[in-house]
Amino acid sequence: MTHPFLERLHHPDRPVLVFDGGMGTLLQSQNLTAMDFGGEHYEGCNEYLVNTKPEAVEFVHRKYLEAGADVIETDTFGGTSTVLAEYDLQDQAYELNKTAVELAKGLTADYSTPETAAEGFNSGAATIGTGPYKYVSWEPKGELVLARNDDYWRGMGAWETVTR
């Protein structure tokens, strides 16, 4: 059985798929407070909002879906244990990512209708970290590159948690 995303992508008409834009930008436009994030310690941890203020994340998803996005990214860009450790949330990496995916999937289902023959899709977004010592990327050759002072296996473990 072929996945609907692949069917659409390989359709003879080659339709354009529209992805959403920046999650963080629209979250910031909502003027969220420290309390929205669950307290000062968690302020800035967008991934934690799926627990503390899911309606803020839903607002972002809805804006992009209403604008015509076919694919929305989950609120998981900093959802690895490595990044979440900055907020002492590393043990919640799996649960936060799962909640973010469920939230996004529920909204794409709301915007998929027989009348439009459209089906919304979700795309996960993740990074190992934001600082110079916690960066992982996939290079064009498919090589995993870790910045200095980071451990390969720790990076792979963080990726495994997010992609589970």
Side-chain angles (χ1 to χ4, degrees):
M1 176 180 219
T2 305
H3 191 276
F5 182 80
L6 293 176
E7 287 176 11
R8 184 161 176 199
L9 187 63
H10 295 293
H11 192 273
D13 294 339
R14 301 268 183 191
V16 172
L17 291 172
V18 178
F19 279 70
D20 67 359
M23 171 67 69
T25 306
L26 278 181
L27 286 173
Q28 289 175 4
S29 75
Q30 296 178 58
N31 298 314
L32 300 172
T33 66
M35 292 309 298
D36 292 325
F37 286 95
E40 285 186 26
H41 180 71
Y42 304 108
E43 191 170 14
C45 184
N46 292 342
E47 296 70 27
Y48 200 43
L49 289 169
V50 298
N51 281 353
T52 62
K53 194 165 178 92
E55 60 272 19
V57 178
E58 288 178 1
F59 171 83
V60 174
H61 290 320
R62 286 188 192 283
K63 284 292 188 187
Y64 286 121
L65 287 165
E66 289 167 3
D70 297 303
V71 182
I72 59 171
E73 294 183 35
T74 56
D75 181 24
T76 54
F77 184 74
T80 61
S81 58
T82 309
V83 177
L84 292 171
E86 297 173 22
Y87 301 96
D88 298 319
L89 294 171
Q90 63 274 15
D91 294 337
Q92 295 184 42
Y94 177 78
E95 291 79 15
L96 289 171
N97 281 277
K98 185 173 189 248
T99 301
V101 168
E102 290 168 350
L103 193 149
K105 283 183 78 168
L107 288 169
T108 54
D110 290 348
Y111 285 83
S112 299
T113 65
E115 295 81 32
T116 61
E119 179 168 350
F121 300 104
N122 303 113
S123 169
T127 183
I128 293 298
T130 55
Y133 300 103
K134 297 179 184 173
Y135 175 74
V136 172
S137 69
W138 287 101
E139 294 297 313
K141 294 180 183 176
E143 299 169 349
L144 181 65
V145 177
L146 289 154
R148 62 179 186 247
N149 295 341
D150 210 337
D151 178 82
Y152 175 83
W153 294 111
R154 184 172 59 149
M156 290 307 294
W159 273 106
E160 187 275 331
T161 299
V162 171
T163 58
R164 191 166 16 148

